[in-house]
Amino acid sequence: MLVDYYSLPSGRQPAKDYVKALDGKLKSKTMRSIELLRMKGHLIGEPESKHLEDGIFKLRTTMGNNTSRILFFFCIGDKVVLTHGFVKKTQRTPRREIAKAKGYREDYIARVSKG
């Protein structure tokens, strides 16, 4: 499966920027989670990944007290697109983070369909 990073119109890639900013061990573990997603695709399942709603999933990485999440969606043609990441501070994924991922997905699909 191909793992792609969503790019804003400016060229910035929120998920890639997020991963780069993580500290050493959490960054390494997050990169392993992304590789596992690449290898397993739709079959990844829990505890590494969980469907949130409307085709938006979260990739979980935990290191001690640090709980990191990267949101993503699947595309036709064996592709997964990582939208952005955040440090989880509550039990539930914040609504604004899910809404952001949905907005990024809409933008991604609109730009891809234009060719």
Side-chain angles (χ1 to χ4, degrees):
M1 177 152 287
L2 173 67
V3 174
D4 195 10
Y5 290 87
Y6 166 76
S7 294
L8 292 164
S10 67
R12 196 172 70 78
Q13 296 176 307
K16 188 174 272 189
D17 294 346
Y18 173 76
V19 172
K20 284 181 181 178
L22 293 172
D23 72 21
K25 288 184 180 180
L26 186 57
K27 182 178 183 177
S28 292
K29 195 167 181 184
T30 300
M31 293 302 293
R32 279 196 303 271
S33 296
I34 292 169
E35 178 61 15
L36 190 63
L37 175 61
R38 187 194 66 75
M39 291 179 350
K40 290 189 171 187
H42 291 282
L43 302 176
I44 188 169
E46 291 194 45
E48 292 86 7
S49 175
K50 183 176 179 182
H51 179 257
L52 295 172
E53 68 180 53
D54 192 29
I56 301 295
F57 295 79
K58 65 181 173 184
L59 187 63
R60 301 172 176 168
T61 308
T62 303
M63 189 89 190
N65 291 335
N66 294 324
T67 304
S68 174
R69 299 290 186 259
I70 295 177
L71 299 190
F72 67 93
F73 60 91
F74 291 100
C75 283
I76 294 172
D78 280 347
K79 182 190 278 189
V80 61
V81 179
L82 307 179
T83 60
H84 70 290
F86 61 96
V87 175
K88 188 172 176 205
K89 296 180 177 164
T90 61
Q91 281 293 91
R92 293 185 152 279
T93 301
R95 299 284 326 148
R96 69 182 178 279
E97 300 296 347
I98 297 170
K100 184 187 289 188
K102 287 180 180 181
Y104 287 166
R105 179 180 60 193
E106 286 175 23
D107 177 59
Y108 180 88
I109 291 168
R111 286 195 276 145
V112 167
S113 66
K114 287 181 182 176

